[in-house]
C-alpha cells in the first residue's frame, strides 16, 4: 500500500482509542456512532487488515492497531514540533526571552528575583517555562535553559551559574519539638522528591556521599514535585534535602533550619545554556548577565 489513508480517518481512529470507545468518540467528535463505525471500516479497508480485537467489549486495539496508533501519535507530535518551529521563525524577537527551568528553580530562585530585574530592564519580558527535568530541553522558541549537571551539552553555549549545596533542613517547630522530646533529629520522617531524572540527588545519594545511615523512618513522605515537598517541610511534616538554589531563601529567613547533619556538595552544577537556535541572543545575554551577577552577590554557603 503506497497511498496514505485520509487524515480524517486517522483522527477518528486516534479519538476512539483516547476516548475508550466508539460511542464516547462520537460524542467528542460531535458525529453519529454509525459515522464513527463507518470511518473505522474505511480505514481498515484502506490498510487491508483489522485494527481492533472485537472479541472484547469495548473492542481494543490488536497488534496492527497498536502499530498504527504509535505512528499516528509520533507523526502528530512531529507536526506540532514543526509548527512550533515555524511560529518561532515568525515571532518578533528582541523584547522577550523564554527561560526553561524546573518548577522548584522557577518558584524559589528565579521568580522572587525577577522583580529586581524588571526595575532595571522594564522593556524586557522574561517568559518562564517549567519542566520536570533537571536538564530541560530547549524546543524552538526557548532561549535559555537552567540546567543541573556536568555542563556537557551541545545545543547551546554553557555558562556556570553556581555550585549547589545540599543539606537536611526542617521547620523550626519540628526541630524544637524533637529537641524537647530528646529525639535525634535524624530519626524524624524524611521527605522524598522522586524525579526520574538521573541528575536529581536523593536521600540515598546523600547517605552514600556523606557516610550517614538512614533512620528507621526513611520511607517517609514521597512527592513528585519539589514545591510540594518544600511546603510539607515548611509545615513541619518532616526533614527534606534543602538545595541552596531552592531553599536558600527559606533558610536565610529562618523558615527552615539546618538540622546539623553534613553538607553535601554534588559534582553537578547549575549552568545557564543559551540556545544555538535563539533568535534573541543579545536580549537573552542581558538576562544571563543579570542572573550571574545576582548569583555572584549571594552567599554561597548555607546559613
Amino acid at each position: 500500500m503506497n497511498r496514505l489513508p485520509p487524515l480524517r480517518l486517522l483522527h477518528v481512529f486516534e479519538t476512539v482509542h483516547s476516548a475508550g470507545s466508539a460511542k464516547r468518540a462520537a460524542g467528542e467528535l460531535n458525529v453519529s456512532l454509525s459515522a464513527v463505525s463507518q470511518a473505522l471500516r474505511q480505514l481498515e479497508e484502506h490498510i487491508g487488515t483489522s485494527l481492533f480485537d472485537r472479541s472484547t467489549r469495548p473492542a481494543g486495539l490488536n497488534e496492527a492497531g497498536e502499530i498504527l496508533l504509535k505512528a499516528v501519535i509520533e507523526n502528530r507530535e512531529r507536526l506540532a514540533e514543526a509548527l512550533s518551529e515555524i511560529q518561532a521563525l515568525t515571532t518578533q524577537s528582541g523584547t522577550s526571552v523564554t527561560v526553561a527551568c524546573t518548577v522548584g528553580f522557577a518558584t524559589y530562585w528565579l521568580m522572587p528575583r525577577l522583580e529586581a530585574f524588571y526595575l532595571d530592564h522594564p522593556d524586557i519580558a522574561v517568559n518562564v517555562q517549567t519542566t520536570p527535568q533537571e536538564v530541560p530541553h530547549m524546543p524552538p522558541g526557548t532561549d535559555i535553559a537552567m540546567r543541573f549537571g556536568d555542563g556537557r551539552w551541545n545545543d547551546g553555549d554553557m555558562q556556570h551559574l553556581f555550585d549547589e549545596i545540599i543539606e537536611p533542613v526542617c521547620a523550626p517547630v519540628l526541630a524544637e519539638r524533637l529537641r524537647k522530646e530528646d529525639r535525634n533529629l535524624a530519626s524524624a520522617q524524611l521527605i522524598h522528591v522522586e524525579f526520574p531524572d538521573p541528575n536529581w540527588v536523593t536521600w540515598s545519594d546523600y547517605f552514600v556521599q556523606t557516610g550517614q545511615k538512614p533512620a528507621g523512618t526513611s520511607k517517609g513522605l514521597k512527592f513528585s514535585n519539589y514545591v510540594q515537598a518544600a511546603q510539607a517541610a515548611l509545615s513541619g511534616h518532616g526533614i527534606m534535602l534543602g538545595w541552596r538554589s531552592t531553599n536558600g531563601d527559606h533558610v536565610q529567613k529562618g523558615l527552615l533550619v539546618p538540622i546539623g547533619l553534613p553538607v553535601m556538595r554534588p559534582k553537578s552544577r547549575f549552568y545557564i545554556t543559551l540556545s544555538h537556535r535563539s533568535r534573541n541572543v543579545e536580549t537573552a545575554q542581558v538576562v544571563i548577565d543579570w542572573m550571574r551577577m545576582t548569583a555572584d552577590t549571594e552567599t554561597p554557603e548555607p546559613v
Side-chain angles (χ1 to χ4, degrees), residues 113 244 247-258 297-303:
R113 292 162 173 79
R244 177 195 126 199
N247 294 126
D249 289 352
H250 290 147
V251 173
Q252 289 184 353
K253 294 175 182 177
L255 300 176
L256 293 174
V257 296
T297 58
E298 295 178 348
T299 305
E301 298 297 331
V303 176

Side-chain angles (χ1 to χ4, degrees), residues 181-197:
E181 296 174 0
D182 195 26
R183 292 173 56 193
N184 189 315
L185 289 177
S187 68
Q189 184 163 246
L190 303 183
I191 296 175
H192 301 264
V193 182
E194 298 186 329
F195 276 175
D197 197 307

Side-chain angles (χ1 to χ4, degrees), residues 62-63 137 155 191 246 250:
N62 58 23
E63 186 177 2
H137 301 299
D155 57 352
I191 296 175
T246 48
H250 290 147

